[in-house]
Amino acid sequence: MRAFKRVTRRRPVLRDRIERTLRQLTEDPFHPSLRSHKLKGELAGAWACSVDYDVRILFELVQNRATGEDEILLLTLGSHSEVY
């Protein structure tokens, strides 16, 4: 993901935290530590979770047509002002 490279190049200390957040997101996208919330307006249908105070991951929950299982589609990653 290009956004991951961009963010970690500017703030290398976030690399481990982003990776931990992504692992938690795959295990339970609604774990309280992620502070996941549904977005409104132009981003309606998407969700956001927190990496830290300012950095967010935007994603969608989609259904895999072949298996019928829910999957996470990563949209972007960045600071609050970058992703909203």
Side-chain angles (χ1 to χ4, degrees), residues 41-53:
E42 290 181 24
L43 296 171
W47 292 79
C49 71
S50 298
V51 173
D52 70 0
Y53 179 76

Side-chain angles (χ1 to χ4, degrees), residues 3 11 37 41 65 84:
R11 295 176 59 192
H37 56 283
R65 293 181 186 182
Y84 295 124

Side-chain angles (χ1 to χ4, degrees), residues 9-84:
R9 194 172 339 144
R10 282 186 296 177
R11 295 176 59 192
V13 296
L14 286 177
R15 182 182 191 89
D16 287 340
R17 188 157 195 158
I18 292 168
E19 290 173 350
R20 279 194 312 268
T21 302
L22 289 170
R23 278 193 297 277
Q24 182 64 56
L25 188 62
T26 60
E27 291 173 19
D28 179 5
F30 302 105
H31 189 277
S33 67
L34 297 174
R35 297 186 301 279
S36 297
H37 56 283
K38 198 168 197 160
L39 302 177
K40 300 176 185 175
E42 290 181 24
L43 296 171
W47 292 79
C49 71
S50 298
V51 173
D52 70 0
Y53 179 76
D54 187 46
V55 178
R56 305 287 188 270
I57 296 173
L58 268 55
F59 63 96
E60 288 182 354
L61 297 174
V62 296
Q63 191 173 50
N64 181 312
R65 293 181 186 182
T67 65
E69 293 185 27
D70 287 334
E71 295 181 343
I72 297 169
L73 173 64
L74 298 177
L75 301 175
T76 192
L77 159 75
S79 70
H80 186 275
S81 61
E82 291 171 337
V83 299
Y84 295 124

